[in-house]
Amino acid sequence: MTITVRGAEKRYVSRGREVRALDNVDLDIAAGEFVAFVGPSGCGKSTLLNMVAGILPLTGGTIRHDGVAVSGINRAVGYMTQVDSVLPWHTVFENVELPLKFRGVPAAERKSRVDAMLARVNLTGFESSFPAELSGGMRKRVALAQVLVYDPGTLLMDEPFGALDAQLKLLMQAELLAIWQATGKTVVFVTHDLSEAVTLASRVIVFSGRPGRIKAIETVPLAYPRDPFKVRFLPEFEACYAKLWAALAPEIAKGEAV
Amino acid sequence: MSAHADEAAAIGGGKTAAVAAWDAEQSARRRLILVGRIVVGVALVAFWEYASGRMIDKLFVSSPSAVSLRLWRWLGDGSLWNHLSITLYATALGFIIGSLVGFVMGLLFGRYRTIADIFDPYITALYSIPKIALAPLFIIWFGIGIESKVAVSASIVFFVVFLNTYAGVRDVNPIYIHATRIMGGNEYHVLRHVMIPSAASWVITGLKVSVPYALVGTVIGEFMSSNRGIGFIIAQATGLFDTTSVFAGLVILGVVGAVINVGLRHAESWLLRWKAQD
Ligand SMILES: Nc1ncnc2c1ncn2[C@@H]1O[C@H](COP(=O)(O)OP(=O)(O)OP(=O)(O)O)[C@@H](O)[C@H]1O
Ligand SMILES: [Mg+2]
């Protein structure tokens, strides 16, 4: 198992009030799996990713990654956070180059790897732009290039394509699937978009409303390689989508009633 | 994919019509401002010259022509440089020492929150003391030589830079620190790629504000006791009721301050070039 979550619990205390974000989550993610998290807003999806990345301590339970209990920053993952984490004072090129610099990769190799990665996310020509000069979707692509360039074995992605338009989203999904299949990475992918989850993931985890618990786990019966432009017209896609929606809809309704 | 080629073309080669129009508009505006500044400057000096002796006693306000003559004489006999160099030297030294210590302490306090919270009331108390009031003490400690002037200006600069650096480091978005560490950055990388650039706009603001303060600190030190420097000239001339020399000294200080500010503005716009324009 690449990621093992046992009895994970997170309570936030802020202004003297306790919020139970995540409650008793058990989850196993195998090496090379592509797992999607869906669930109502505020159910603790980002919280769980933050705990896998070691940014947040758990208040109960354990998380192991590659057999090691996570405590403190987990450098074995690549993490594309929900909020912008691209450094605004570095250019696009410098941002993507950073993880390679940290690893002591020589300059010539850095240049070729960064250039290749920028081409993959369609950002060639923007090397010397600063993030403030880019659109939200372009910044997301910089962040994607930044986590992919150093080739971590596990990718944590929190709504990475939420800010993209429908066409570009499909393109990026195809790109991500290609990279995933070529490299055999483990991917944990949070999304609000159920059809995106079905398109990409081998397994979809549905979370209940706050406090987040695992409500349903669904294996997607679609073979890889998948074409994001076409899979959604398959009958298996529809059946899987309907099952997931049946699990998710009441949770969303519940969330809105509060 | 072709959409992206277009995007790239839009920021890439050649001046388009829109870029040229924007450039033209900007240079027209700059010219207007420059002309306006010259007109205002000439008008002020002309009014001063006219009013001196006619509306106000020359003894109090001297006159631009007398002041220019005095400056010219000082320039010729070397006394201008003799006094200016010592003032600039003390200012620069005070500025460098004060901002270096302030910057390092600001980084440390920003990084180690508990230390900062422990020292906070004492720093605030020290900060509340007008640094000018320390000048006599510094003269006792360091004598009437350049050291006491450096100490006055360094103590002023220190607080401005320290407080700004501290505020800047506290202002760093933790998401950048986490992201950098997950990508493999160590403490040094976090400092170099997150803390310092993120605090840069605060630090530069602090530096910019503190340069004139450094000059003020030096000149005040020179007022109190010295035998060289622009502050000394002004103080001595005041004693002799020589307003022409007082104004000449003030003009020198004004010009020095303005020149330093222009340099700082250039440095600032280069260092903060990543910020979105407008
Ligand atoms: N720093 C914090 N302090 C207090 N409460 C927090 C904090 N961060 C998150 N929470 C709470 O924890 C719950 C889960 O937050 P989280 O960001 O993990 O949700 P999410 O599932 O990612 O939601 P979304 O889909 O909207 O991104 C929310 O109810 C939120 O209010
Ligand atoms: Mg979230």
Side-chain angles (χ1 to χ4, degrees):
Chain A
M1 286 298 138
T2 293
I3 300 173
T4 317
V5 182
R6 286 289 171 270
E9 178 206 79
K10 181 69 192 180
R11 295 159 192 259
Y12 288 104
V13 178
S14 72
R15 292 166 218 255
R17 240 170 40 100
E18 186 184 283
V19 177
R20 263 204 302 164
L22 214 59
D23 191 40
N24 198 26
V25 171
D26 287 322
L27 183 62
D28 288 307
I29 297 174
E33 248 194 301
F34 196 130
V35 172
F37 288 178
V38 297
S41 181
C43 72
K45 304 180 296 291
S46 300
T47 299
L48 185 53
L49 285 200
N50 281 339
M51 294 193 306
V52 175
I55 293 174
L56 270 183
L58 292 90
T59 47
T62 55
I63 294 179
R64 302 175 81 80
H65 179 247
D66 289 337
V68 188
V70 175
S71 70
I73 296 293
N74 180 359
R75 291 201 161 83
V77 299
Y79 188 10
M80 216 179 137
T81 51
Q82 186 169 8
V83 293
D84 241 334
S85 67
V86 168
L87 299 177
W89 41 83
H90 283 321
T91 62
V92 168
F93 187 92
E94 289 164 346
N95 263 294
V96 178
E97 185 188 25
L98 224 44
L100 299 179
K101 252 188 180 162
F102 294 163
R103 287 175 170 65
V105 175
E109 188 191 336
R110 289 204 301 262
K111 169 107 175 69
S112 66
R113 278 170 74 175
V114 173
D115 284 344
M117 198 43 80
L118 287 176
R120 285 198 100 144
V121 299
N122 297 319
L123 282 173
T124 303
F126 290 93
E127 288 82 359
S128 52
S129 300
F130 285 103
E133 299 162 347
L134 305 179
S135 71
M138 290 161 87
R139 277 202 293 275
K140 281 279 174 196
R141 284 182 273 149
V142 177
L144 180 62
Q146 197 176 39
V147 296
L148 288 176
V149 77
Y150 64 100
D151 204 25
T154 302
L155 282 183
L156 310 176
M157 309 178 85
D158 199 344
E159 300 187 26
F161 303 148
L164 305 184
D165 65 70
Q167 282 69 250
L168 189 54
K169 192 179 202 170
L170 290 174
L171 272 175
M172 298 316 293
Q173 288 172 353
E175 194 66 56
L176 178 62
L177 277 179
I179 290 170
W180 172 65
Q181 285 204 273
T183 56
K185 290 179 194 307
T186 310
V187 180
V188 183
F189 190 103
V190 174
T191 177
H192 269 137
D193 178 351
L194 204 49
S195 62
E196 181 171 54
V198 179
T199 302
L200 296 174
S202 47
R203 263 198 314 160
V204 180
I205 319 276
V206 181
F207 285 83
S208 70
R210 195 176 56 226
R213 300 192 178 96
I214 293 181
K215 167 138 193 224
I217 299 183
E218 205 54 59
T219 302
V220 180
L222 294 165
Y224 295 100
R226 297 179 191 167
D227 180 347
F229 297 90
K230 295 189 184 135
V231 278
R232 41 196 180 137
F233 304 114
L234 298 174
E236 296 94 318
F237 183 101
E238 249 173 70
C240 186
Y241 185 102
K243 253 199 252 175
L244 286 168
W245 179 244
L248 184 59
E251 298 303 325
I252 291 175
K254 220 165 58 189
E256 254 147 38
V258 174
Chain B
M1 305 267 154
S2 69
H4 298 289
D6 287 349
E7 267 181 273
I11 60 157
K15 258 196 192 181
T16 64
V19 173
W22 194 84
D23 280 352
E25 196 183 305
Q26 288 302 304
S27 66
R29 204 181 101 82
R30 270 198 299 271
R31 223 170 308 135
L32 177 70
I33 288 172
L34 182 66
V35 171
R37 281 176 182 169
I38 292 170
V39 168
V40 170
V42 169
L44 282 175
V45 171
F47 176 73
W48 182 7
E49 184 72 48
Y50 172 81
S52 159
R54 288 191 179 81
M55 295 159 76
I56 317 167
D57 193 334
K58 239 183 153 78
L59 185 65
F60 293 116
V61 297
S62 185
S63 73
S65 50
V67 170
S68 313
L69 269 172
R70 183 65 44 92
L71 284 172
W72 183 249
R73 209 182 72 208
W74 287 350
L75 199 62
D77 66 14
S79 60
L80 175 67
W81 183 241
N82 181 27
H83 290 289
L84 182 57
S85 60
I86 198 84
T87 301
L88 286 182
Y89 183 61
T91 302
L93 220 56
F95 176 76
I96 290 168
I97 293 172
S99 48
L100 222 62
V101 178
F103 181 67
V104 171
M105 294 262 297
L107 283 180
L108 281 177
F109 271 51
R111 197 82 185 90
Y112 303 101
R113 217 53 71 78
T114 312
I115 295 182
D117 287 345
I118 291 171
F119 280 93
D120 185 72
Y122 303 104
I123 301 267
T124 311
L126 275 179
Y127 179 61
S128 313
I129 300 172
K131 256 51 73 187
I132 306 306
L134 295 178
L137 197 60
F138 287 145
I139 290 167
I140 296 176
W141 288 351
F142 301 113
I144 67 158
I146 189 169
E147 294 86 351
S148 54
K149 284 86 191 171
V150 172
V152 178
S153 60
S155 67
I156 301 180
V157 170
F158 165 79
F159 276 100
V160 181
V161 174
F162 167 75
L163 291 173
N164 273 283
T165 307
Y166 179 36
V169 172
R170 266 187 321 184
D171 192 45
V172 174
N173 191 340
I175 193 81
Y176 295 139
I177 301 175
H178 292 141
T180 303
R181 296 186 60 205
I182 290 174
M183 286 190 290
N186 57 27
E187 279 291 306
Y188 164 76
H189 292 133
V190 170
L191 197 67
R192 159 78 184 74
H193 292 284
V194 182
M195 299 295 206
I196 292 176
S198 173
S201 56
W202 288 81
V203 175
I204 290 166
T205 306
L207 292 178
K208 231 171 68 169
V209 171
S210 61
V211 168
Y213 285 173
L215 194 59
V216 168
T218 305
V219 171
I220 282 172
E222 289 172 350
F223 276 172
M224 292 190 178
S225 73
S226 63
N227 44 27
R228 260 176 86 192
I230 303 296
F232 166 72
I233 291 187
I234 295 175
Q236 194 191 38
T238 306
L240 301 171
F241 235 82
D242 174 8
T243 46
T244 303
S245 292
V246 172
F247 275 106
L250 293 177
V251 167
I252 295 170
L253 290 181
V255 170
V256 168
V259 168
I260 293 175
N261 255 308
V262 169
L264 283 170
R265 257 210 306 270
H266 279 97
E268 180 185 24
S269 62
W270 186 81
L271 283 168
L272 298 183
R273 66 198 181 286
W274 53 272
K275 293 216 163 168
Q277 310 290 297
D278 298 324

